[in-house]
Amino acid sequence: MLAYIGRRLLQVIPMLLAVTFVVFFLIHLAPYDVVDAVTTPNMSAETVEIVRQRYGLDQPFLVQYGLWLGNVLQGDLGYSLVSRHSIADDLLIRIPNTVILVAPSYIAALILALVLGLWAGSRKGTWIDRMIDGLAGIGIATPAFWFALLVIYVFGYQLRWFPIIGMHSVGKQGDPIDFLRHFVMPSLVLIVAFFPEIARYVRSATISQLSQDYVLVQRGFGASRREIFSRHVSRNVMLPIITQLGLALPILVTGAIVIESIFGWPGVGPYFLTATKSLDYPVILAVLLLSAFLVIIGNLIADILYVVADPRIRIGGRA
Amino acid sequence: MPKRRLFAPLGLLVAGALALSACAAGGAAPEESSATEATGELSYVIASDPSSLNPINVSDRWGLTVTNIVYSPLARIEGDGTVVNELAESIEPAEDGLSVTVTLKDGLLWSDGEPLTADDVVFTYTNKAVRENGNADLLWVGDQPITAAATDDRTVVFTLPSISAAALSNIATETYIIPEHIYGDVTDFSVTELDPLAVGSGPYVLTDYQRGQYLTFEANENYYGEAPNIPKLTLQIVSNADTVKTALQTGEADASFVTPDQISELEGAGLDIYPYAEGRVAYLGLNLAKITDPKVRQALFFALDRDEISNGAFLSEEYFQPAYTILPPSNPFATEDVEKYDQDLDASAALLKEAGVSDLTITLAYAGADPAQTTQATLIQQQAKAAGITVELAGVEPAAVYAEIEKGADSQYDAFLGGYIMGQDPDAYSLLYRTGASANYFQYSNSATDALFDAGAVELDQDARKAVYADLQKQIAEDAVIFPFADSLKILAVNPRIGGVEDARTVPIYTFENFGLLTER
């Protein structure tokens, strides 16, 4: 098991290198001059040249990439071209803000999806099933940003229940009630964005489990529907759901980019969007690197959880 | 009871979540819009973090807005060209035009209570004139920097390397004095934030900056001017325009810039709307390296209908002022005595025939995500078609437009849509139109124009200078380099509980000349 984890972690390295190289290369290919992001038309050509040299933008592509990579390996994500702020510092402020919004929303969506999915699957074909399935369909088809605007309009503007902007009111950091008032609307939007797909997954898994032979056998032994469902079916459905938890890891950082921007939530989302607009490539690279890292780690965790949850599965040929 | 084992924890969690949201909703319900009571706070929404908070090199809109709140310049140049003293008591240009003597007001203090002296002024200008620090160009004449020296505690003499008509404006404006006793040990002024951020001489002191969220300010007790009417000011950072609109409607925010299409809804919600000119020129620019024949360029311009384009793009005549030259209509040097290219399809056809061109096809680049430019582009396409000119549209990212157009003859684009704010002094526009200048996207080169720029830069007599720039505007209009549409106004929406907008003065870039003069009604 440990050897497996170690091997997987080693595989991560070339993948991350490839990801960063491709992103770096694509940004380099873009038909803009990155130095435009830091200069203004009022600056003379000399000043622009000084700026270009200061940020190493006059170096060839491979040299620039090498410099960046060398710094990252030393734990230095570099500085934003636009603000000259340490990206690591900025991310350390923003990632917790995002996690505090996304994690509870995702867990709530997961619970909601489990309850509704199991319920719908166990009542396949009834009006309950059709309603839940239809609801999930609507949820999947609804763009999150549109739903967010709708929520803002109804609860923020018409009813005036919740404030619209940010994570807390100015000067009320640490006030839990104030935080909750800001939290409710974006969280609601995220729950609605997250739950339908998981619910559909749970529903179809439930249906396929119920059609398995063991259910027939259990029935033959006279077990009640309730017993079969709670002892066997739900457990077999839960297993793959556990691995979903691992795969959800990147969502914690990049799962709410659009929603955060709409609500002015000070997380990774607005930071990343602003950086892409101004071609602030060190920031873009840092966020993409982090995201790629989480995807790979998330996959690894998912695989490990799977083994932990179901001891019948063995990895790497060793019994 | 296996079922309960599985479902009880889930049920508990769901119930907990519901209770939580119910509690949050309950806590929020009694909150009422505070339209009538004074809160002592003003919340202004800005679109993004300032790029720089260092007065030495700040050049972005929100950075300058914050700088103008926390620091003070020696003087300001108003929209009509008059000089209003701030820290300066008097500004005296010498007879020979080679120096300027500035006397500071008596008893000026920094927000930390230390006296503000001529040494601080010299310290600020000396560091700003260092090219490596990033914003020195206005303080250079030719290839030499303007130098400053203190003769006593309240007097600073600026020495010019050679005569420059723009020098007074360049010295006075947009240089915000920073305290030497705080930043004297700073070795690198090219950074975007000085440490500490908070000591200035403006109406407010910066008290807190939460990156990506807000900046808060409190009235500066040692401000030399009138104490701010509203003691607390917050600049809230929200990038989404729809969110801003709703926050204005609910009273969560007191003021912000809005777009023309949001106005009717905001007015319906009772907000006050203040459109004002920023001295911006929105234009159709041509790539002269590709359209070399002036007759062809003129023919294209005669095909266009300026009013229709501006009304389409800026929605109402209330929100723009038509522009006819390279200078914005509010500029004191702007003239209307130029070829305006009022739509004339016959003239257009005649010019094309004279140039021997038929089947003219032009590729026009514009910012595809900008609704105003998209409208302009489609109207241009339609109007040109009526004159027999084909315009192919290329809607791309704004940064890509300029990067591509700068390639000159190798560029894919023959024309592009743009806009610039270059300030009051006409010499600044030489960056756009002088042969080989850094922002000469048009690849325009005319020795007559260059000579006029040279003459204007050293002409100290105001009337003679106006005549030079009138000739200059005529020359560029005749060469058909850009087709100016209008100065599209900035539109400010303000909660009716806030007054004093006229006193605080809406100005280009900074929104308000002095936020401290706003009042709560």
Side-chain angles (χ1 to χ4, degrees):
Chain A
M1 184 75 162
L2 280 176
Y4 171 75
I5 295 174
R7 206 162 58 237
R8 282 288 299 267
L9 280 175
L10 280 179
Q11 284 168 2
V12 166
I13 294 167
M15 281 167 89
L16 286 177
L17 273 179
V19 168
T20 57
F21 187 81
V22 167
V23 173
F24 209 94
F25 183 65
L26 285 178
I27 290 176
H28 204 77
L29 270 192
Y32 333 93
D33 192 344
V34 175
V35 81
D36 289 343
V38 256
T39 59
T40 65
N42 297 17
M43 287 186 185
S44 68
E46 290 94 348
T47 309
V48 172
E49 199 44 47
I50 290 168
V51 171
R52 192 186 293 277
Q53 282 168 14
R54 190 194 298 144
Y55 298 159
L57 297 174
D58 55 339
Q59 305 286 331
F61 163 69
L62 278 176
V63 176
Q64 285 188 41
Y65 178 71
L67 287 173
W68 178 81
L69 196 65
N71 287 331
V72 169
L73 290 179
Q74 291 163 32
D76 177 7
L77 288 172
Y79 293 86
S80 155
L81 281 181
V82 175
S83 74
R84 302 303 301 146
H85 251 245
S86 158
I87 295 170
D89 286 356
D90 278 352
L91 283 177
L92 277 181
I93 297 171
R94 283 157 186 284
I95 289 175
N97 292 347
T98 297
V99 170
I100 209 174
L101 171 65
V102 176
S105 309
Y106 185 79
I107 290 170
L110 193 67
I111 292 164
L112 190 68
L114 277 174
V115 173
L116 292 182
L118 282 169
W119 194 14
S122 66
R123 302 271 190 285
K124 186 188 167 199
T126 63
W127 67 271
I128 294 246
D129 175 40
R130 281 202 299 275
M131 197 183 73
I132 292 173
D133 193 43
L135 205 66
I138 293 171
I140 288 171
T142 305
F145 77 88
W146 182 82
F147 185 63
L149 293 178
L150 197 71
V151 166
I152 288 180
Y153 180 75
V154 174
F155 296 105
Y157 177 55
Q158 288 294 344
L159 299 171
R160 310 261 164 126
W161 282 0
F162 304 109
I164 298 158
I165 303 172
M167 192 166 80
H168 46 68
S169 304
V170 172
K172 284 196 180 167
Q173 288 93 322
D175 176 344
I177 295 296
D178 181 67
F179 170 78
L180 279 177
R181 294 187 51 214
H182 285 87
F183 174 77
V184 171
M185 284 201 296
S187 172
L188 174 67
V189 174
L190 285 176
I191 290 172
V192 170
F194 290 148
F195 101 87
E197 275 186 68
I198 317 175
R200 282 220 159 151
Y201 180 82
V202 174
R203 174 181 173 271
S204 65
T206 310
I207 291 171
S208 84
Q209 286 295 327
L210 282 174
S211 67
Q212 298 281 320
D213 289 345
Y214 74 83
V215 175
L216 210 64
V217 173
Q218 289 281 340
R219 267 202 200 130
F221 280 110
S224 75
R225 195 182 133 81
R226 175 174 287 186
E227 276 169 354
I228 299 168
F229 191 73
S230 55
R231 272 199 204 141
H232 305 284
V233 175
S234 55
R235 244 177 239 184
N236 286 332
V237 171
M238 290 294 279
L239 258 182
I241 290 296
I242 291 173
T243 65
Q244 287 270 347
L245 281 175
L247 295 173
L249 195 63
I251 291 179
L252 285 181
V253 172
T254 51
I257 286 182
V258 175
I259 301 307
E260 283 181 355
S261 293
I262 290 175
F263 285 96
W265 192 272
V268 179
Y271 185 60
F272 184 65
L273 280 188
T274 314
T276 26
K277 267 188 215 155
S278 54
L279 288 176
D280 198 344
Y281 78 88
V283 173
I284 304 173
L285 276 170
V287 175
L288 285 178
L289 182 72
L290 185 70
S291 167
F293 183 72
L294 289 176
V295 169
I296 294 166
I297 296 297
N299 268 304
L300 182 60
I301 292 177
D303 286 353
I304 294 166
L305 280 179
Y306 207 73
V307 180
V308 173
D310 189 344
R312 287 170 304 177
I313 303 164
R314 284 284 172 266
I315 300 169
R318 265 209 242 171
Chain B
M1 307 270 282
K3 183 206 170 187
R4 206 168 281 164
R5 208 183 302 150
L6 177 66
F7 279 103
L10 295 185
L12 208 67
L13 269 169
V14 171
L18 285 175
L20 208 71
S21 49
C23 142
E31 180 95 351
E32 277 293 306
S33 159
S34 51
T36 45
E37 54 188 274
T39 58
E41 292 179 34
L42 172 73
S43 157
Y44 179 65
V45 177
I46 62 177
S48 69
D49 278 294
S51 294
S52 168
L53 288 178
N54 173 2
I56 294 294
N57 65 16
V58 61
S59 60
D60 65 296
R61 177 183 292 272
W62 304 123
L64 282 163
T65 303
V66 173
T67 305
N68 186 47
I69 291 170
V70 178
Y71 300 89
S72 299
L74 293 176
R76 298 173 192 283
I77 311 278
E78 294 289 342
D80 57 5
T82 54
V83 179
V84 177
N85 289 337
E86 291 283 342
L87 295 175
E89 187 174 272
S90 70
I91 300 178
E92 302 289 339
E95 290 277 312
D96 62 3
L98 284 172
S99 69
V100 177
T101 304
V102 176
T103 310
L104 297 177
K105 283 179 177 151
D106 196 18
L108 292 173
L109 291 177
W110 291 107
S111 58
D112 65 355
E114 293 288 314
L116 191 162
T117 68
D119 288 333
D120 293 312
V121 178
V122 173
F123 174 72
T124 304
Y125 276 87
T126 308
N127 282 303
K128 196 176 170 186
V130 175
R131 279 210 155 131
E132 284 72 12
N133 291 341
N135 203 10
D137 290 331
L138 284 180
L139 297 180
W140 284 59
V141 180
D143 234 2
Q144 297 281 319
I146 295 171
T147 55
T151 52
D152 63 50
D153 264 4
R154 286 177 51 203
T155 314
V156 183
V157 179
F158 293 93
T159 310
L160 279 54
S162 60
I163 290 182
S164 162
L168 181 61
S169 152
N170 289 352
I171 289 171
T173 53
E174 258 182 41
T175 296
Y176 288 85
I177 308 304
I178 58 172
E180 185 175 14
H181 70 278
I182 300 286
Y183 303 124
D185 296 332
V186 174
T187 48
D188 181 9
F189 276 101
S190 67
V191 292
T192 54
E193 271 179 30
L194 296 174
D195 183 39
L197 279 169
V199 180
S201 61
Y204 288 93
V205 184
L206 180 63
T207 47
D208 189 17
Y209 176 19
Q210 297 288 326
R211 202 154 266 282
Q213 301 185 58
Y214 52 77
L215 302 104
T216 56
F217 306 84
E218 270 172 32
N220 172 9
E221 287 172 12
N222 294 316
Y223 182 52
Y224 56 89
E226 210 178 298
N229 296 318
I230 305 177
K232 284 188 174 172
L233 168 66
T234 304
L235 299 194
Q236 192 108 33
I237 299 162
V238 184
S239 56
N240 187 288
D242 292 313
T243 311
V244 175
K245 188 189 74 188
T246 315
L248 285 168
Q249 288 171 325
T250 62
E252 198 176 332
D254 289 319
S256 182
F257 286 132
V258 296
T259 53
D261 56 297
Q262 297 177 328
I263 289 169
S264 59
E265 216 178 320
L266 287 169
E267 276 179 336
L271 279 101
D272 297 325
I273 304 292
Y274 299 89
Y276 71 93
E278 281 205 306
R280 176 175 188 264
V281 180
Y283 61 88
L284 160 71
L286 297 185
N287 181 350
L288 271 54
K290 298 198 77 179
I291 312 179
T292 48
D293 188 340
K295 290 207 176 76
V296 176
R297 305 196 295 259
Q298 289 166 353
L300 175 65
F301 287 1
F302 274 121
L304 304 179
D305 182 341
R306 182 180 277 110
D307 285 347
E308 196 187 34
I309 293 172
S310 296
N311 272 310
F314 310 123
L315 298 184
S316 158
E317 270 168 33
E318 287 171 53
Y319 309 128
F320 70 88
Q321 292 168 359
Y324 301 103
T325 78
I326 63 163
L327 298 181
S330 56
N331 191 291
F333 290 88
T335 172
E336 289 199 14
D337 183 20
V338 296
E339 176 57 69
K340 292 181 183 170
Y341 298 103
D342 289 327
Q343 193 179 34
D344 185 344
L345 294 182
D346 294 338
S348 177
L351 280 161
L352 280 179
K353 201 173 174 195
E354 245 179 273
V357 174
S358 55
D359 294 338
L360 179 61
T361 301
I362 283 167
T363 310
L364 172 65
Y366 65 99
D370 179 343
Q373 287 201 1
T374 308
T375 310
Q376 287 165 354
T378 36
L379 286 171
I380 288 169
Q381 185 182 44
Q382 193 183 325
Q383 292 165 4
K385 197 177 173 200
I389 301 168
T390 310
V391 174
E392 286 174 357
L393 299 185
V396 284
E397 281 292 303
V401 175
Y402 287 99
E404 182 65 25
I405 208 82
E406 274 179 341
K407 291 178 188 163
D410 297 330
S411 166
Q412 308 170 35
Y413 308 135
D414 307 300
F416 63 104
L417 296 179
Y420 52 68
I421 300 178
M422 300 299 286
Q424 288 296 328
D425 197 277
D427 188 46
Y429 295 76
S430 66
L431 288 170
L432 293 156
Y433 297 102
R434 190 195 279 277
T435 303
S438 59
N440 189 338
Y441 309 114
F442 321 101
Q443 316 295 326
Y444 172 57
S445 171
N446 182 339
S447 54
T449 304
D450 294 348
L452 286 166
F453 270 123
D454 290 340
V458 297
E459 179 56 66
L460 298 181
D461 181 78
Q462 196 73 354
D463 290 333
R465 198 163 183 236
K466 271 192 174 154
V468 171
Y469 285 110
D471 288 345
L472 180 76
Q473 291 168 73
K474 244 186 232 174
Q475 180 66 52
I476 295 177
E478 202 181 298
D479 291 336
V481 183
I482 68 165
F483 184 85
F485 302 125
D487 180 350
S488 50
L489 305 190
K490 271 282 172 192
I491 302 158
L492 188 71
V494 182
N495 190 312
R497 76 179 193 91
I498 300 296
V501 171
E502 280 82 11
D503 296 326
R505 293 190 81 131
T506 48
V507 289
I509 310 288
Y510 312 120
T511 313
F512 294 110
E513 187 170 288
N514 187 347
F515 275 83
L517 297 179
L518 293 171
T519 58
E520 284 184 289
R521 283 184 177 143

